[in-house]
Amino acid sequence: MTFTVELEQESGGRWIGEVPQLPGTLVYGASPEEVTARAKALALRVLADRLEHGEADAALDDITFAAA
């Protein structure tokens, strides 16, 4: 399963990052690199929580990230 990290810069300069395949994985930061790292970390936390609660499916056996 490949997750996409989508980045956008607000008019004030702050960056927003999101993993659309995992609702609620929205992060903010000062640079694209910071936001990408935060989004990946949050996505992994969400996936770990799903695994711990038996909510994961077989697609989680092969996880990768791709830049948008």
Side-chain angles (χ1 to χ4, degrees), residues 4-55:
T4 304
V5 178
E6 293 184 355
L7 303 177
E8 182 179 334
Q9 189 172 25
E10 292 182 322
S11 59
R14 180 172 71 167
W15 286 85
I16 302 171
E18 142 177 62
V19 179
Q21 297 90 343
L22 297 171
T25 54
L26 183 69
V27 297
Y28 298 94
S31 69
E33 296 81 14
E34 178 184 5
V35 168
T36 298
R38 286 183 176 186
K40 288 179 181 181
L42 179 56
L44 290 171
R45 285 187 205 104
V46 169
L47 294 173
D49 188 61
R50 288 183 182 180
L51 287 167
E52 287 178 345
H53 292 94
E55 300 170 1

